[in-house]
Amino acid sequence: MATYKKRGYRKPKEKVEEVINDDLNNEVEGYVEGESTTEEVFNTLDDTANKAEEWVADNQKYIFGVVGAIALGVLLYMAYGKFIQEPNEAEASNEAYKAQTYFTQAVDATGTAKDSLFNLALNGGEGKLGLLDIIEDYSGTKAANLANYTAGMAYLNMNDYQNAVTYLDKFSANDEILAANAKGGVADAFVQLNQLEDALTYYEKALALTTNEYTTPKFLYKAAVVALDLGKNDVAAKYLTRIKDEFPSALEAGKVDALLGKAQAK
């Protein structure tokens, strides 16, 4: 805080000099009598350093043990990735190839052949592992994670909706479209199980993952249909309007007006 000073005032010079001289004399006397604060500080620092050195000397085995344990942990982690995880990933991918092939064939097939091929994909054939074997035998690998998605979609196509939910919900992916499809698949299964609140939740999870021309209008439309069934007309209208505004060329856009009129009429 600023202090007010009266204009023209001067402190007596003699008094200032006396104060300065007294302070200097006191300091000199202090040095002469061995009472230097600086000296005391250095002495304290020396004592502290000596104690630290003693502690290190007494505990160096413990210190080296901790450092060695950390270094060993890093080396083991690197070795696990190089000599265990990487070969395991490669083996899992090779084993999953046949099951994935069956799944692809099933998607393109018709009639009874479709379910037969999905069963082969899930349980294996021709001496090869199925998707369920990959999930169990190679847990933690990328191949097992992808097998969760493929198995879930296989069950969804076979109308086994509970297993579809189980396996699709285990799947995780950095690919936003694939992740959105998995959430949408869970929602589709919940619709068939007549769990409409759960279905709407999962359609909304799928919509939150990504915005694109493929999955977004599809799940906006499905979410709107479920919202209408639940009596959530404002939610349905919001999703249908978004299709109309953001995705006018999408297949779903052609079906929006009829549902939008229904949502607004209610």
Side-chain angles (χ1 to χ4, degrees), residues 65-75:
V66 171
V67 172
I70 293 171
L72 180 61
V74 172
L75 289 173

Side-chain angles (χ1 to χ4, degrees), residues 63-168:
I63 294 169
F64 291 144
V66 171
V67 172
I70 293 171
L72 180 61
V74 172
L75 289 173
L76 287 174
Y77 176 79
M78 293 172 65
Y80 175 80
K82 182 68 176 175
F83 300 109
I84 298 176
Q85 185 66 18
E86 288 182 13
N88 205 34
E89 288 281 2
E91 183 179 324
S93 295
N94 288 334
E95 291 290 345
Y97 176 77
K98 189 62 179 178
Q100 295 289 350
T101 301
Y102 283 134
F103 178 83
T104 303
Q105 291 172 350
V107 171
D108 296 332
T110 57
T112 56
K114 200 173 187 74
D115 281 356
S116 296
L117 287 165
F118 278 131
N119 270 312
L120 287 171
L122 288 166
N123 301 301
E126 300 178 28
K128 299 295 184 181
L129 299 179
L131 296 168
L132 301 181
D133 299 314
I134 300 299
I135 293 167
E136 184 176 351
D137 296 348
Y138 296 96
S139 176
T141 63
K142 294 176 183 177
N145 182 48
L146 184 59
N148 279 315
Y149 175 83
T150 315
M153 286 300 184
Y155 281 122
L156 188 61
N157 278 277
M158 296 170 69
N159 304 327
D160 186 343
Y161 303 116
Q162 193 57 63
N163 271 323
V165 170
T166 299
Y167 286 98
L168 286 173

